[in-house]
């Protein structure tokens, strides 16, 4: 059982932004440990509905009475310091703590916090690892960054010492955690609005690796030189995996793909045949994600048969190359969260293993800073689709102080000889696609924002 001594003094906990992916999972863990938890959020959502069904009191808007009754207030990063509930907490001299800091406190309650990190693939790999631990009956607690159908949500409360979580590098929040095991998938140029330079990103990961205890577990991608170099900053001998790097501890060989783009491959451990794995998610990048999972789970003594079975059952997390349906039973519509050039390239490669006529991508750039910093890379990654439609930039947390628009991306595509259309209106976009698609085409909606609404619009009136 987890040791909750470090948070016992907070009997009543109020959470501002309780409907968030991570916040809702934290709330469920706290309730399981018999804390009294209330919460508020700016709007209703599936997570809020789910929390209410589990008996949580959730206010849409503000509830100053619940603040007054609380011993501590946990708030998500999106909540401003002048928020009425935050102001009330300060007035009442009630301590406040940001979500990542509080999640860090939770990681210290467990003897075995397993952190999955890296610029790309965290949600998928966290899901794979979680299913392997469940298959092996290890009763883990889980926090994953998307809906995972096998656990009926984005979190699961177990009663063992295993706590499997995504550990995000943005604003260095992963440095708040106390991991026993780390899987580091890759280190790429992202979140430059915060990090400014790639060197700063690498330095954050160096600090992160140094958090591991002497008996910790470190799994590194041997195909990523920046990942591999992290071994120089710790005394823990890393477990490595790769496809290209033949010196890796775990290698994938004899990779083949079926018509859905799902891989079958042989795993070799230190050049000895280990097992054969069949995946139910597409793409070579998922072979790498699966290898990282296999390397970690083998270290934890999970049987090969449990790993095989769990990976075969994993059909993808929500919004990770997710099949939404078919238009008139002739055109497949997929939705993907990819919002970085490396992720778009990986998705394009996954697509290339499928059988289809023409590919259509509806891309919504995510944040002005990322679009400006990586404009050429975005254009080059979109070259791999037959038809490209670009929506307006999804601002997320930013204001447009960067002097960039989606038209700049379309112009960049035109400059390298790729036809692309700028269609900001969703209805117009849907109409254009419906009027131009052909049988056996594939349509992919791509981005971390509201582009996900296009798929259901395309599938209406079928």
């Amino acid at each position: 059982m987890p040791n909750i001594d470090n948070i016992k003094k907070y009997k009543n906990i109020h959470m501002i932004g309780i409907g968030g992916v991570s916040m809702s999972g934290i709330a469920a863990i706290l309730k399981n440990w018999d804390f009294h938890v209330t919460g508020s959020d700016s709007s209703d959502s599936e997570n809020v509905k789910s929390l209410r069904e589990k008996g949580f009191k959730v206010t849409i808007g503000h509830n100053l009475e619940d603040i007054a009754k609380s011993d501590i207030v946990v708030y998500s990063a999106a909540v401003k310091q002048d928020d009425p509930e935050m102001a009330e907490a300060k007035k009442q001299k009630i301590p406040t703590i940001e979500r990542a800091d509080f999640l860090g406190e939770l990681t210290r309650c467990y003897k075995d916090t397993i952190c999955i990190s890296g610029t790309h693939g965290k949600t998928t790999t966290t899901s794979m690892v979680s299913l392997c631990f469940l298959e092996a009956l290890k009763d883990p607690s889980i926090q994953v960054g998307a809906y995972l159908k096998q656990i009926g949500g984005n979190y699961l409360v177990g009663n063992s010492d295993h706590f499997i979580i995504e550990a995000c590098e943005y604003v260095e929040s992963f440095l708040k955690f106390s991991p026993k095991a780390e899987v580091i998938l890759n280190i790429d140029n992202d979140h430059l609005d915060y990090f400014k330079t790639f060197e700063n990103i690498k330095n954050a990961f160096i600090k992160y690796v140094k958090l591991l205890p002497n008996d910790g577990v470190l799994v590194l991608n041997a195909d990523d030189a920046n990942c591999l170099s992290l071994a120089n900053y710790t005394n823990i001998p890393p477990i490595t995996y790769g496809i290209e790097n033949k010196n890796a501890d775990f290698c994938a060989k004899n990779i083949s793909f079926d018509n859905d783009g799902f891989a079958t491959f042989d795993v070799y451990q230190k050049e000895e045949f280990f097992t054969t794995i069949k995946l139910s998610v597409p793409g070579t990048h998922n072979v790498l994600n699966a290898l990282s999972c296999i390397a970690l789970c083998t270290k934890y003594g999970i049987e090969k048969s449990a790993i095989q079975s769990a990976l075969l059952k994993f059909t993808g997390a929500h919004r990770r190359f997710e099949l939404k349906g078919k238009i008139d039973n002739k055109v497949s519509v997929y939705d993907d969260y990819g919002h970085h050039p490396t992720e778009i390239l990986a998705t394009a490669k996954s697509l290339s293993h499928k059988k289809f006529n023409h590919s259509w991508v509806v891309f919504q750039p995510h944040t002005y800073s990322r679009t400006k910093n990586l404009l050429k890379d975005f254009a080059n990654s979109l070259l791999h689709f037959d038809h490209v439609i670009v929506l307006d930039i999804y601002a997320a947390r930013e204001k447009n102080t960067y002097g960039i628009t989606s038209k700049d991306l379309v112009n960049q595509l035109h400059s390298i000889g790729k036809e692309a259309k700028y269609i900001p209106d969703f209805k117009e976009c849907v109409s254009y696609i419906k009027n131009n698609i052909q049988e056996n085409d594939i349509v992919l909606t791509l981005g971390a924002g509201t582009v996900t609404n296009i798929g259901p619009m395309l599938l209406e009136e079928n």
Side-chain angles (χ1 to χ4, degrees):
M1 274 291 291
N3 179 349
I4 61 171
D5 286 351
N6 61 327
I7 57 168
K8 254 187 186 164
K9 57 187 180 238
Y10 308 125
K11 291 187 172 54
N12 299 295
I13 299 171
H14 184 77
M15 305 182 72
I16 311 175
I18 195 169
V21 169
S22 177
M23 291 282 273
S24 54
I26 291 170
I29 288 170
L30 291 169
K31 192 171 196 296
N32 188 57
W33 293 343
D34 293 328
F35 288 88
H36 179 253
V37 182
T38 57
S40 62
D41 214 305
S42 57
S43 59
D44 251 318
S45 65
E46 283 301 312
N47 278 351
V48 166
K49 185 181 164 197
S50 171
L51 286 167
R52 283 188 173 136
E53 284 168 0
K54 291 180 172 77
F56 286 89
K57 178 190 175 189
V58 181
T59 303
I60 300 305
H62 305 293
N63 192 322
L64 303 188
E65 284 178 21
D66 284 340
I67 292 284
K69 292 174 191 166
S70 61
D71 301 312
I72 192 168
V73 173
V74 183
Y75 63 95
S76 67
V79 175
K80 302 284 187 286
Q81 289 299 313
D82 61 358
D83 173 271
E85 290 187 341
M86 290 290 285
E88 182 67 15
K90 283 173 197 157
K91 185 176 147 194
Q92 302 267 5
K93 296 191 168 48
I94 294 163
T96 61
I97 183 169
E98 201 267 322
R99 176 205 65 86
D101 290 290
F102 193 76
L103 184 54
E105 289 296 324
L106 290 196
T107 66
R108 287 179 274 288
C109 295
Y110 291 86
K111 283 184 189 153
D112 185 40
T113 295
I114 299 167
C115 292
I116 315 296
S117 56
T119 318
H120 319 292
K122 288 186 290 292
T123 298
T124 293
T125 307
T126 305
S127 301
M128 287 176 167
V129 169
S130 298
L131 294 188
C132 287
F133 271 67
L134 288 169
E135 191 79 20
L137 306 176
K138 287 190 175 285
D139 194 22
S141 292
I142 297 162
Q143 272 220 353
V144 62
Y147 181 90
L148 180 60
K149 69 181 179 193
Q150 284 90 344
I151 62 173
N154 58 286
Y155 58 82
L156 185 71
V157 180
N159 286 302
S160 73
D161 274 318
H162 305 298
F163 186 25
I164 302 165
I165 61 169
E166 281 187 46
C168 184
E169 76 280 7
Y170 184 57
V171 301
E172 297 184 306
S173 62
F174 62 0
L175 299 183
K176 313 275 178 66
F177 305 157
S178 292
K180 177 72 182 289
E182 292 178 357
V183 177
I184 304 178
L185 302 166
N186 40 59
I187 303 174
D188 204 348
N189 225 351
D190 198 13
H191 300 307
L192 292 175
D193 57 321
Y194 172 77
F195 285 111
K196 307 303 182 207
T197 68
F198 186 56
E199 266 324 291
N200 289 340
I201 299 173
K202 287 200 286 191
N203 286 334
F205 276 93
I206 289 168
K207 287 185 262 184
Y208 173 63
V209 163
K210 289 178 177 178
L211 296 177
L212 282 168
N214 290 332
D215 60 346
V217 176
L218 179 61
V219 178
L220 296 176
N221 179 357
D223 288 355
D224 184 313
N226 292 306
C227 244
L228 208 48
S229 70
L230 294 173
N232 300 323
Y233 302 95
T234 174
N235 295 322
I236 296 162
I239 307 162
T240 59
Y241 66 93
I243 297 172
E244 307 297 329
N245 190 333
K246 305 304 177 197
N247 295 320
D249 297 320
F250 287 83
C251 279
K253 298 180 181 180
N254 309 319
I255 304 170
S256 62
F257 295 92
D258 65 15
N259 286 350
D260 290 312
F262 301 161
T264 300
F265 57 97
D266 293 330
V267 180
Y268 281 75
Q269 182 182 14
K270 294 194 181 349
E271 299 187 6
E272 293 271 322
F273 175 75
F274 182 74
T275 191
T276 299
I277 295 289
K278 170 91 177 81
L279 298 181
S280 302
V281 284
T284 308
H285 64 296
N286 277 322
V287 174
L288 270 176
N289 291 335
L291 278 175
S292 75
C293 169
I294 293 161
L296 178 81
C297 292
T298 302
K299 177 71 176 176
Y300 274 85
I302 295 176
E303 297 284 336
K304 292 175 193 178
S305 57
I307 297 170
Q308 280 176 316
S309 174
L311 290 177
L312 184 62
K313 286 177 187 172
F314 176 61
T315 54
H318 177 55
R319 299 216 60 215
R320 295 338 186 248
F321 214 130
E322 183 181 13
L323 179 63
K324 303 305 289 183
K326 290 198 170 192
I327 303 170
D328 300 330
N329 283 323
K330 293 175 182 175
V331 174
S332 299
V333 178
Y334 290 86
D335 183 41
D336 193 89
Y337 186 76
H339 54 286
H340 183 282
T342 303
E343 293 164 355
I344 296 169
L345 270 175
T347 303
K349 281 182 187 165
S350 299
L351 199 60
S352 70
H353 296 299
K354 291 183 179 287
K355 297 278 188 284
F356 60 91
N357 182 18
H358 294 112
S359 61
W360 293 74
V361 67
V362 182
F363 177 58
Q364 183 181 48
H366 190 264
T367 74
Y368 301 108
S369 58
R370 188 183 282 118
T371 309
K372 186 170 177 93
N373 285 321
L374 303 174
L375 189 71
K376 288 183 178 175
D377 295 333
F378 275 120
N380 288 329
S381 66
L382 292 166
L383 284 175
H384 300 271
F385 299 92
D386 298 318
H387 303 279
V388 179
I389 296 170
V390 183
L391 305 173
D392 276 331
I393 295 169
Y394 185 75
R397 54 190 171 263
E398 293 181 343
K399 289 188 168 58
N400 192 4
T401 56
Y402 298 87
I404 189 91
T405 72
S406 287
K407 286 181 184 172
D408 295 311
L409 177 54
V410 170
N411 290 338
Q412 181 65 31
L413 281 157
H414 289 166
S415 76
I416 54 176
K418 182 69 179 176
E419 180 53 41
K421 291 199 176 303
Y422 166 62
I423 310 179
D425 183 84
F426 280 25
K427 283 184 181 170
E428 193 183 323
C429 174
V430 167
S431 173
Y432 179 80
I433 292 169
K434 282 192 168 182
N435 288 335
N436 289 279
I437 46 174
Q438 297 171 6
E439 193 167 343
N440 294 326
D441 280 0
I442 280 183
V443 179
L444 175 72
T445 56
L446 193 59
T450 50
V451 66
T452 190
N453 298 330
I454 296 271
M457 290 168 72
L458 281 165
L459 296 168
E460 274 172 16
E461 298 168 30
N462 278 344

